[in-house]
Amino acid sequence: MVKLYEKDILYAPLESWQQEAMSAFDAKITHKTLKFPCIPAYQGYILNQMKFGFASDPRDENASFELAGLLKKYGQASRNMGIYTALIVFFKTPEDLKSQYTVSDYEMLFWQLLNRVSSLDETNWVESISQDPHDPTWEFCFHHERYFVYCATPAHEKRKSRHFPTFMLAITPRWVLDEFSASISKAEKMKKMIRTRLEKYDNIPPHPDLKWYGQQDNYEWKQYYLRDDDTSLPSCPFKHAWKK
């Protein structure tokens, strides 16, 4: 059975890789000098509004069932968790995966995982959201909730904002992002602050695909997995088994 945790598990008995992942996340988010670019993520962590989960090796079929279970459980209660909530999922990442997989390999693994999870969705796709990833309104949906998905991997080096010791997903509900954008003036100020931090954090300029939801030239899927350079896939690998 899947289980959601709070950041207090830093001090609870866990498997060694799970403890290491939590400690690494804490260090990344709370670093005093190299400040993590996403300010709302920092706020969510400090306010204990984030939830955490663990899953198997992402190459393992079990990982998709575990992620689907975590996402379903999280989605059912997320609206009571605070306006900075997000679901963080750490995947067991053996040494052979770390040593052999490149940024491109992890990219394919990410999309394979997202496709498998989508096929396990027991509900219909959100009606107001396009089923075509190449439509600017498209975003990942699961159990009738809309989400932004962020992926970090051990292979990323230049784009440090996308580096993490294990394969990791940070999944944020769209309603959280809508709250963030409710005040146009505050949202614009926050966007500039995040951009400034990102430029200092990474060893390369921000990826050209980093845009804002709703822009006609923005495609959410391109931001889910950013490469370690300025390139991106020519088309989205996501293929949902649409419910009839």
Side-chain angles (χ1 to χ4, degrees), residues 1-45:
M1 179 179 291
V2 296
K3 185 175 181 180
L4 295 177
Y5 297 88
E6 296 184 350
K7 69 174 182 176
D8 293 342
I9 60 168
L10 270 170
Y11 311 103
L14 295 169
E15 292 184 35
S16 59
W17 76 268
Q18 296 172 335
Q19 184 68 61
E20 289 168 5
M22 279 300 304
S23 296
F25 186 84
D26 179 77
K28 189 178 186 74
I29 292 293
T30 62
H31 201 288
K32 298 299 183 183
T33 54
L34 189 61
K35 295 183 177 180
F36 190 68
C38 186
I39 298 169
Y42 171 81
Q43 292 172 313
Y45 185 69

Side-chain angles (χ1 to χ4, degrees), residues 16-221:
S16 59
W17 76 268
Q18 296 172 335
Q19 184 68 61
E20 289 168 5
M22 279 300 304
S23 296
F25 186 84
D26 179 77
K28 189 178 186 74
I29 292 293
T30 62
H31 201 288
K32 298 299 183 183
T33 54
L34 189 61
K35 295 183 177 180
F36 190 68
C38 186
I39 298 169
Y42 171 81
Q43 292 172 313
Y45 185 69
I46 295 301
L47 294 172
N48 201 25
Q49 294 181 5
M50 284 184 172
K51 298 299 178 184
F52 298 88
F54 301 99
S56 303
D57 183 329
R59 296 169 295 184
D60 190 327
E61 188 176 356
N62 287 334
S64 57
F65 287 95
E66 292 161 353
L67 178 56
L70 287 166
L71 197 49
K72 178 180 177 180
K73 190 169 187 176
Y74 172 76
Q76 290 172 333
S78 66
R79 292 177 186 269
N80 298 317
M81 295 175 183
I83 62 172
Y84 295 108
T85 187
L87 171 64
I88 312 299
V89 183
F90 305 112
F91 293 79
K92 189 171 186 178
T93 311
E95 286 305 317
D96 69 305
L97 181 56
K98 291 182 181 181
S99 63
Q100 296 175 16
Y101 268 53
T102 64
V103 171
S104 295
D105 293 329
Y106 278 115
E107 183 175 38
M108 290 299 99
L109 187 60
F110 166 75
W111 286 109
Q112 289 166 6
L113 180 64
L114 214 60
N115 274 313
R116 292 199 302 266
V117 169
S118 185
S119 71
L120 298 172
D121 194 350
E122 301 162 343
T123 66
N124 293 321
W125 194 257
V126 177
E127 290 183 5
S128 61
I129 300 302
S130 173
Q131 299 177 1
D132 180 6
H134 303 98
D135 185 302
T137 66
W138 182 90
E139 58 188 329
F140 181 69
C141 300
F142 189 83
H143 216 259
H144 226 65
E145 285 285 357
R146 302 152 57 198
Y147 294 102
F148 180 86
V149 186
Y150 155 107
C151 183
T153 81
H156 283 79
E157 296 178 353
K158 298 175 184 176
R159 205 172 297 284
K160 292 190 290 185
S161 57
R162 293 293 177 127
H163 173 83
F164 197 73
T166 71
F167 186 79
M168 182 192 84
L169 299 183
I171 306 172
T172 306
R174 174 54 55 185
W175 65 263
V176 169
L177 301 175
D178 286 343
E179 287 279 350
F180 166 76
S181 302
S183 169
I184 296 177
S185 60
K186 289 183 180 179
E188 288 300 322
K189 183 178 180 180
M190 182 66 76
K191 289 175 185 178
K192 290 179 181 178
M193 292 173 64
I194 292 173
R195 191 82 174 188
T196 298
R197 282 194 178 191
L198 187 62
E199 290 170 352
K200 294 179 179 178
Y201 198 89
D202 288 345
N203 293 330
I204 54 177
H207 199 286
D209 287 333
L210 279 179
K211 298 173 183 177
W212 304 104
Y213 185 70
Q215 290 181 220
Q216 285 303 306
D217 61 345
N218 171 67
Y219 300 98
E220 290 292 277
W221 68 268

